[in-house]
Every structure is written in C-alpha cells, then in structure tokens.
Amino acid sequence: MMEEHAVKATAGATDPVDLLAQAVDDTNIDDNSDFDSPEEDGPANGVGEGNRTKKKKKKKKPKNKKPVIIPKPNEGKIPDEIPPPSAESPEETSKWEKVLIKGAKTYTVPAHGLLTDRIRPILDIFRIPSCKQVELHTPRLLLRQVEINDLTGIRRIKMEPSVQKTQLYGSPGLSDIKESFLNRYIRSSIPRVPNIYMSSQKGRDDYIFAITALNPNSLTIQDPGQIKIANRISKAEGYLGNIALSLSYPSSSPSFLPQKGKVYTQPKFDELHKAKVEGKLFYEIHPQLWGQGIMSEAFEEVLRFGMEEVGCYSIASDPTVGNEASIHLCLKNGMKYSHLTTENAYNKPQLFHLITNEEWWARNRPNKKIEDRWGGKDVCRWCLNFRLAPPTISCTGCIWAKYCSRECQLADWSKEGGHQVECK
C-alpha cells in the first residue's frame, strides 16, 4: 500500500473511477487465500509443435457460487506489563539532581536534518530506550521501532520500480528517502515530538514498525527477476519493510497529550471513541518476499494492536486502484469498502476501506465485551509507553510529573517548552 502525508477522504470521483470502486465493492474474496502482491501468471498450457494432444473439455463451473469468507479470529494477544526498573542508588540520585536543574540547556527537534551527525546528540537525548520498547510479535515476525541504520533496507524498497507502481509518491531520490521517510519513521518513536507533516498535535501521531524476521531462514527469498541489482536481497535479515498505524484526531477532539498540573494517564477507550480517533494503516515489503503471507501476518497484528491496545474508534486503509493484494488484505481482515477518493497530491484514485472497533471486536473476540486493558493507567509523560509499569520517578519540584526512567525525565526537562517551563 501507499504511504502518504495527509490524504483526506472524499466520496466524489469521476464516473470511470466510480465503476472501478464498485467492482471492488462487489468482489468477494476467499479468506483462506493468502498473498501480499499480485500473483504472476504461470506458464501457458498450450501444445508445442509436433506434440499435439487431445484437449480435455473443461468442466463448467456452477453459476452464482462465490467463495465464502470465513472469519479468522486474530490470535495475537496483549503482552504482560513490563516491570519497573530497579531502584537507583543514592549516588545515582545525586548525579541526576545535578543535571535536572533550572536553567539547564534546552533543545528543539528540527523538522529536517535530524539524522545528521551534528544533530544526532540531540536525537539521542529525546529518543531514549523506553521509546523504542514498543514491539509486536507474530509467529514469524518481530515488528520493532525503525532504526537509523535501516536506511539501506528502506532505499531498496522505495527505489524499486515494482514497488513504486502501488505507491502514491512515485520515484523518490535517496535524499528524499532519508529526510522524509526515515526522518518520519524515527520521529514516530518519540511520541512527544510532532510528525514532520503535522501542523498541530493532539496525541501520538504514529506507530511505525520495521518488519523483521524472528528466524530469517524461515522466509524464502524469491528469484529477483526484473528487480534492479542494487535493490536485491539475498537474506531475510534486518529491515524487510514497514507497517504503520497513523492516528488522526478530529478538529473537535480534545488533546490526549500530558497536561500541566495533571498526572498523565492513558486515554480510555470511551474517550477515544467519543472523539472518533481514527487509525490508518500504510505498509510495504520487499518484493522478493511477496506471496508468503508476511504482510498479512503483520497487518493482522497491527490492526489488533490499534483496536485492542491503542483503542482506535475505527481503522482504515486506502490502497490505490489496481493494488489487488492490498485490497485483499483489507477484505480478509474484515474491512469494508467505504468510498473512493482522488484527493491527493498525485491524483491517484484510492479505495477507502474501514472497520470500526465494534466490528473488529465482534469478529475477533466473539461473545466478549470490549475490554480496555491500559486505559486510565498512570503512564510516563515522556515516552507514553502504556505497556510499562506505572512510573516510579517523580519530579522533585512538583507531584504530578511522573516518569518511567531518569532518561525520560531528562528528555522532558531538556525539550524547549517542556517540563522545565511547566515546573514551579
């Protein structure tokens, strides 16, 4: 599927495109099939010269019989809470108190140039270990936060023509890949730092995961075919692609970020549903790994994470017209075709699919009420990692700023406009 900056949905479209959308809406895809990319045609079954054989009559298929979609319950689960760190020694406490003082230098996170050697030390202050602990697991995959050294893997996918056919942005250059895509991926693991394309922030913008293999030998590297030599892979190691949950907040939505004077707690499902906070999936994987159900595995787990842990009101996906593999993923996971939109910078028609929280829960957790595992829990006001045990570190200047680690406290203290300004 494509990645995009901020594509708005609209039902308006030209007649030919409406027909394409209707064709997809009327398609019933067998949920037992499993693919990540359009299947290639196999060899023809014709007869060679001098070797004529009698053609067998093909049996007529029964009319009006379509494959039945069999819902497959999501097998992912919420992990156990990560325990708090061990208590620090008096010497460690003294060291931190000398650093966390009024007048300490503060920094801003620039929109661009964040990954250069000159600015890297600033990034290291804000992107601390607990920010990178948000991971998802599937039978074959580890979905982890993106790292700076993933640039080569990202380039191989972004600059490959067979992938670009299904993307909105066409053919980006290497500098664009680093300054736009990698920059955004890295920033997504610092939830208190806005997305580079956002003018305002009301909550965490993105969860962007790098797709990696738990056991590289369990995945098959297919023949590269027409893939450019520079973009080929020989092992399923490191970064294989990405999948992301991008969150959008209506203009009428309240802020779900930490507020001055209040202990930060994880937003409750009821609050997020009332505000109609929506998630949107975008994803891609190296073409030599297509056809093995890898993206299907990742898609299903991120969808579960967004519904069962984040608490999205609904989650959408909008593949481009003709991207049958992506459309299949949507339908297979219970998303319903909603409308077609052409409102993007590239004038490419996209087919908008959507599933609500109630629909997902009924399909994947039948006979079970919607449960909010993390909502209302005290959470570190810097990393916002709700899977961690409630924060045990408090600011000495106030009673409401709580953190899971000293690194998180320093990050909030060092951010321009952060807690150093708030604290009395």
Side-chain angles (χ1 to χ4, degrees):
M1 183 185 162
M2 72 302 302
E3 290 186 47
E4 56 203 294
H5 299 165
V7 179
K8 296 180 179 179
T10 176
T14 58
D15 290 341
V17 179
D18 281 337
L19 292 174
L20 285 169
Q22 185 62 43
V24 171
D25 193 29
D26 291 340
T27 300
N28 193 358
I29 296 182
D30 184 1
D31 191 53
N32 292 320
S33 61
D34 194 13
F35 60 93
D36 295 322
S37 62
E39 296 180 344
E40 295 181 357
D41 294 331
N45 294 321
V47 181
E49 290 183 13
N51 186 27
R52 295 184 180 180
T53 58
K54 189 175 181 180
K55 292 184 180 179
K56 293 182 180 180
K57 291 184 178 179
K58 293 183 180 180
K59 292 182 179 181
K60 292 184 178 179
K61 293 182 180 180
K63 294 182 178 180
N64 301 322
K65 283 193 176 182
K66 294 182 179 181
V68 177
I69 294 180
I70 303 173
K72 177 186 175 184
N74 187 288
E75 297 175 356
K77 63 179 182 179
I78 299 174
D80 294 333
E81 183 178 84
I82 300 173
S86 57
E88 64 186 19
S89 66
E91 291 77 16
E92 289 173 323
T93 301
S94 177
K95 182 196 73 173
W96 283 109
E97 287 178 348
K98 292 177 181 178
V99 174
L100 299 164
I101 58 174
K102 281 283 188 178
K105 189 173 182 179
T106 59
Y107 305 89
T108 60
V109 181
H112 297 284
L114 182 63
L115 308 181
T116 63
D117 292 337
R118 182 176 63 85
I119 302 178
R120 190 75 58 81
I122 297 176
L123 174 62
D124 292 339
I125 292 174
F126 296 130
R127 192 171 184 254
I128 42 78
S130 59
C131 286
K132 296 184 280 186
Q133 280 185 289
V134 182
E135 296 180 345
L136 303 178
H137 293 80
T138 73
R140 295 180 295 172
L141 308 173
L142 166 64
L143 309 180
R144 60 161 173 78
Q145 300 297 290
V146 177
E147 296 291 347
I148 294 174
N149 59 9
D150 289 330
L151 179 61
T152 298
I154 296 171
R155 175 194 60 76
R156 287 177 178 147
I157 298 173
K158 297 289 184 188
M159 300 187 77
E160 172 51 39
S162 59
V163 175
Q164 293 169 355
K165 291 177 182 178
T166 63
Q167 305 290 14
L168 279 177
Y169 48 75
S171 179
L174 184 58
S175 61
D176 293 327
I177 292 171
K178 183 175 181 179
E179 281 299 314
S180 295
F181 295 107
L182 181 59
N183 184 354
R184 178 180 178 182
Y185 298 170
I186 295 295
R187 295 167 73 98
S188 75
S189 59
I190 317 174
R192 296 292 303 278
V193 174
N195 184 317
I196 54 177
Y197 302 112
M198 300 294 290
S199 57
S200 62
Q201 188 185 32
K202 292 190 174 184
R204 179 158 189 165
D205 297 320
D206 302 296
Y207 291 90
I208 301 180
F209 300 96
I211 299 174
T212 66
L214 289 173
N215 176 12
N217 294 328
S218 68
L219 305 181
T220 301
I221 304 299
Q222 301 173 40
D223 186 278
Q226 299 300 314
I227 295 174
K228 289 185 175 181
I229 294 176
N231 299 334
R232 296 176 182 179
I233 59 174
S234 59
K235 298 179 181 179
E237 295 180 346
Y239 180 98
L240 306 176
N242 73 68
I243 182 164
L245 176 69
S246 181
L247 302 175
S248 62
Y249 303 81
S251 57
S252 58
S253 168
S255 173
F256 292 102
L257 292 171
Q259 302 297 312
K260 181 180 178 180
K262 296 181 180 179
V263 174
Y264 181 70
T265 59
Q266 176 66 14
K268 296 180 179 179
F269 281 12
D270 289 346
E271 298 171 318
L272 295 168
H273 294 177
K274 184 178 179 180
K276 295 189 175 181
V277 175
E278 182 177 87
K280 197 173 186 181
L281 299 179
F282 62 79
Y283 39 88
E284 63 187 5
I285 194 166
H286 195 281
Q288 282 179 260
L289 296 168
W290 288 355
Q292 301 180 58
I294 297 170
M295 187 57 75
S296 180
E297 205 170 298
F299 188 106
E300 184 177 304
E301 174 60 10
V302 175
L303 184 58
R304 182 209 63 78
F305 173 73
M307 292 299 194
E308 199 170 28
E309 297 192 64
V310 178
C312 296
Y313 170 75
S314 61
I315 294 181
S317 179
D318 53 0
T320 53
V321 169
N323 188 350
E324 298 299 330
S326 190
I327 293 169
H328 172 80
L329 277 179
C330 295
L331 299 177
K332 178 183 176 182
N333 284 277
M335 289 184 171
K336 298 175 182 177
Y337 169 73
S338 172
H339 62 274
L340 183 142
T341 175
T342 55
E343 194 171 299
N344 57 65
Y346 306 92
N347 295 317
K348 290 185 178 181
Q350 297 170 264
L351 299 170
F352 201 93
H353 293 73
L354 181 139
I355 185 171
T356 66
N357 186 280
E358 289 185 352
E359 291 171 339
W360 182 90
W361 211 271
R363 185 176 189 271
N364 295 280
R365 304 288 183 259
N367 304 317
K368 190 176 181 181
K369 292 183 179 180
I370 296 177
E371 295 181 4
D372 188 355
R373 171 68 175 83
W374 311 114
K377 168 187 172 180
D378 285 2
V379 175
C380 173
R381 64 191 292 110
W382 178 256
C383 68
L384 310 187
N385 189 345
F386 48 76
R387 287 181 169 182
L388 300 177
T392 57
I393 296 172
S394 298
C395 173
T396 56
C398 63
I399 60 173
W400 47 269
K402 297 180 180 295
Y403 305 92
C404 67
S405 68
R406 287 292 193 180
E407 288 82 5
C408 277
Q409 185 180 12
L410 178 61
D412 198 14
W413 193 257
S414 302
K415 180 177 179 290
E416 188 171 292
H419 187 58
Q420 189 174 163
V421 175
E422 297 175 325
C423 187
K424 294 181 180 180

